[in-house]
Amino acid sequence: MSVLSLDGVTVSRGAGPVIRDVSLEVVSGTITALVGPNGAGKTSLLEAISGVIDASSGTISLDGEPLGKLSRVRRAHRGIVHIEQGRAVFPSLTVVENVRLASGNAARANEAIDMFPELEKRRDSPTGLLSGGEQQMVVLARAFAAQPTFLLIDEMSLGLAPVVFTRLLPMVQRFAEDGVGVLLVEQFTNLALSVARQALVFSNGRVTFQGEASVLQQSPEVLHTAYLGGSPAH
Amino acid sequence: MLQGALSGLAAGGVYAIIAVCLTLMSRLVRVVNFAQAATGMFGSYVAVWMVSKAGIPIGLATVVGILIGGLLSGLIGWIIATWLSEADTSTRSAVTVGPLLLLISLSFILFGNKPQPFQPLLAGPAFTVSGVVISQVTVVIVVLAIVVAAASKLVLSRTSVGTKLRALSERPTTAELIGIPAKPLGVAVWAITGIISTIVIVIVAPSQSNDAIALSMLIVPGAAAALLGAFRRLDLAVLGGLVLGVIQGTVAQIDQVSFVRYFLPFLFIVGLLLWNQRKAVWDAAR
Ligand SMILES: Nc1ncnc2c1ncn2[C@@H]1O[C@H](COP(=O)(O)OP(=O)(O)OP(=O)(O)O)[C@@H](O)[C@H]1O
Ligand SMILES: [Mg+2]
C-alpha cells in the first residue's frame, strides 16, 4: 500500500499564498474527492504535488519520502500522474501516438485504447479532431498506459455534459480497483462524492472539511458551510 | 544567366540547410536561434586552427570542429533550458543574440580578424550542364539540404523520439507530466542542429568570404528562407533557400544590378512579410 501525504503545505503565487498550511493523505486503492469554489486553490494544490509549481513550505511525500525539489519528470517516473484541467491532449498527434507516449509497452497502450470503443475506431485520427468527451477518454487511456501509483485528476468534466462525464467515471473507479490512489478534483460534487471514499472541501486555500464522502453527500448543509469557508471539521 | 543561377545553387543550399535548422529549432524548442551560423563558424575556425597551427590532419580536425560546433550549440540550449524554460519565444530568441556576438568577438580574439586559411574539403567539378560547370560543393550541399530536411521529417513523424519532440512542442508541461524529459531532448535538438550547421559551414567556408562576420551572418538569408515556410515547414524552408540562392546568383551576373544581391535576403524577408500582411488584410476583408 502506498501513501501520498501533504504536511503543512503552503503554496504562493503572484499576490500571496493560495494554499495555506494544508495537510492531507491519499491512500492507494481509494478515491479522494476534492471540491470547492472557483479560485479555492484546487488546481494549485495538484500542481504542487506534481511539481508544476513549488510549495513554499511544508512537505509532500510519497511513502514517507519527501519529494523535495524533484522535477515533474522525475515525479511522473515515480508514478504520480497529473491530468490537467482542460483537454490535456496533444492535438496533432493521433490517438495511438498520444497513448503510446506514456508507455513503452505497446500492449499496455493497446489495452488502454481498447477500453473505449469510441477510441478504437479513431486510433489514427489526430486527437484534435475528436469531441471533448473523446479527448478526455484519450487522456484517461494515456494515464492508464502510464500505470500510475497516484492519479491527480483536475476537473475532467469541464465543458462536458453530465451524461458524458458519467461515462468516464467508471474508468476512474477502475483505477482505484487496480490499486491506484486517486485525487479527484470535481465541480460535479455529487457525482464525485458518489464514487469517493474520502472527501475534502477546499475554500480560500484552506481545508474546510475532511472526512467520509458519504457524510457530505448526506448533509448538504455541511457541504454548504464548508464551501463558504466554515470551520474545519477535523 | 543559367551560369549565374547555377552558381547560386551552392549558396542556396547553405541557406536551405540553415533554414531547416532554424525551422526545427523554432518548432521543437521555441527559439529563433540567431547564433545558429555563429556556432558553425566557431567550430570551423577551430578546425582550421588545428590544421594550420597544430598540424592535426584535416579529417580529424574537421570532425573535432564539427563536434565543438554541436557542443557549443548544446551548451547555449542547456543554458536556455535551465534558466528560461518558461520564458516566451521572443525572450528566448533575443537571448541568442548574446552568444552570436560573444562568438564573433571570441573568434577575433583567438584567431584574429583576417579570413582563415581554409583548405577545401571538396574541390573540382562534379559535372557540366549545357556548358556550365557544377562543382562538387554545389552537389553535396544541395543533396545535403534535401537529405537533412527529409530525414528530419521522417524522424519526427515515424520514431518514438520524434513523437515525444512533437508532444513537447505542442504542450511542454503536459509532456513533462507524463514523464517526457524536456531538457535532455531539447538540448539534443540544439546540439544536432549545431552539428548540421557546422558541417555545412565547414564545407562551404573555403569557397566563399569566410571572415567571422560573413559566416555568422549566414543566419540572415537562412532566416529569410525559413520564413517562406513560416518557420514550420521544412520543404518550404529548403525551397526558400534554393530560390534565394538562385536569384542571388542570377542578379550577381547582371552588372547594373549586381550590388542588389547583398540586400536580397532583406528584400526577401520584407516581401514575405508584406505578402503575409496582404493575406491577413484580405482574409479580414472577407
Ligand atoms: N498562474 C497563476 N499566477 C498567479 N496566480 C494564479 C495563477 N493561477 C492561479 N492563480 C491564483 O491562485 C488562486 C487559486 O487558483 P486555482 O486555479 O488553484 O483555483 P481552483 O480551485 O483550481 O479554481 P477553479 O475551480 O476555477 O479551477 C486563485 O486566486 C488564482 O487567481
Ligand atoms: Mg482549477
Side-chain angles (χ1 to χ4, degrees), chain B residues 49-63:
Chain B
W49 181 88
M50 285 193 296
V51 173
S52 61
K53 297 279 160 41
I56 294 168
I58 188 162
L60 179 65
T62 303
V63 171

Side-chain angles (χ1 to χ4, degrees), chain B residues 11-131:
Chain B
V14 176
Y15 306 159
I17 295 174
I18 291 178
V20 166
C21 290
L22 289 174
T23 303
L24 289 172
M25 294 285 283
S26 149
R27 270 179 63 178
L28 302 178
V29 293
R30 296 185 295 119
V31 79
V32 176
N33 180 15
F34 290 104
Q36 190 76 55
T39 46
M41 172 279 292
F42 199 86
S44 61
Y45 270 33
V46 172
V48 171
W49 181 88
M50 285 193 296
V51 173
S52 61
K53 297 279 160 41
I56 294 168
I58 188 162
L60 179 65
T62 303
V63 171
V64 173
I66 288 169
L67 290 178
I68 286 178
L71 216 67
L72 273 174
S73 189
L75 182 67
I76 302 168
W78 182 84
I79 290 170
I80 289 184
T82 304
W83 285 288
L84 293 168
S85 64
E86 313 272 304
D88 61 11
T89 307
S90 338
T91 310
R92 290 157 66 90
S93 305
V95 164
T96 64
V97 174
L100 164 67
L101 299 176
L102 186 79
L103 287 169
I104 293 177
S105 331
L106 201 60
S107 80
F108 283 160
I109 294 166
L110 295 177
F111 310 112
N113 57 4
K114 301 254 172 359
Q116 296 296 305
F118 275 100
Q119 287 181 27
L121 289 169
L122 300 165
F127 53 86
T128 312
V129 182
S130 45

Side-chain angles (χ1 to χ4, degrees), chain A residues 72 77 84 87 89 91-92 97, chain B residues 166-167 170-171 174 176 179:
Chain A
R72 307 161 193 181
H77 291 157
E84 300 151 279
R87 310 267 172 271
V89 292
S92 83
E97 285 175 331
Chain B
R166 282 187 291 142
E170 278 188 5
R171 296 183 63 114
T174 306
E176 285 192 287

Side-chain angles (χ1 to χ4, degrees), chain B residues 120-224:
Chain B
L121 289 169
L122 300 165
F127 53 86
T128 312
V129 182
S130 45
V132 182
V133 173
I134 307 289
S135 67
Q136 287 181 17
V137 170
T138 303
V139 174
V140 169
I141 293 283
V142 171
V143 170
L144 197 63
I146 294 165
V147 167
V148 165
S152 309
K153 180 146 184 115
L154 220 62
V155 167
L156 287 179
S157 60
R158 295 288 161 80
T159 67
S160 83
V161 171
T163 314
K164 285 178 182 165
L165 287 170
R166 282 187 291 142
L168 271 168
S169 80
E170 278 188 5
R171 296 183 63 114
T173 304
T174 306
E176 285 192 287
L177 286 175
I178 56 178
I180 297 174
K183 198 164 157 181
L185 285 174
V187 172
V189 170
W190 278 83
I192 289 169
T193 61
I195 285 176
I196 296 169
S197 26
T198 314
I199 290 176
V200 64
I201 288 177
V202 162
I203 296 175
V204 295
S207 52
Q208 72 155 67
S209 56
N210 58 31
D211 60 279
I213 292 180
L215 292 180
S216 300
M217 286 305 143
L218 284 172
I219 183 73
V220 176

Side-chain angles (χ1 to χ4, degrees), chain A residues 82-200:
Chain A
H82 177 178
I83 295 180
E84 300 151 279
Q85 196 167 311
R87 310 267 172 271
V89 292
F90 302 101
S92 83
L93 271 56
T94 65
V95 170
V96 177
E97 285 175 331
N98 259 279
V99 176
R100 289 227 175 117
L101 276 177
S103 167
N105 182 343
R108 176 87 183 177
N110 285 335
E111 189 188 339
I113 295 172
D114 291 347
M115 287 187 301
F116 299 98
E118 292 91 334
L119 297 186
E120 268 188 276
K121 285 178 287 184
R122 312 203 53 180
R123 294 169 66 92
D124 297 316
S125 309
T127 317
L129 301 182
L130 271 53
S131 72
E134 288 167 338
Q135 292 186 353
Q136 290 299 41
M137 292 175 194
V138 172
V139 171
L140 282 172
R142 195 175 65 205
F144 183 83
Q147 298 184 275
T149 336
F150 287 97
L151 182 59
L152 320 172
I153 304 178
D154 199 354
E155 298 202 27
M156 200 168 55
S157 61
L158 202 72
L160 298 182
V163 278
V164 179
F165 181 52
T166 318
R167 275 274 290 111
L168 302 176
L169 266 183
M171 188 60 208
V172 176
Q173 288 174 296
R174 163 85 191 265
F175 275 105
E177 282 156 19
D178 287 353
V180 179
V182 181
L183 186 54
L184 180 67
V185 169
E186 216 10 274
Q187 50 166 343
F188 287 141
T189 312
N190 282 325
L191 283 173
L193 291 175
S194 70
V195 297
R197 180 188 298 176
Q198 205 194 169
L200 294 155

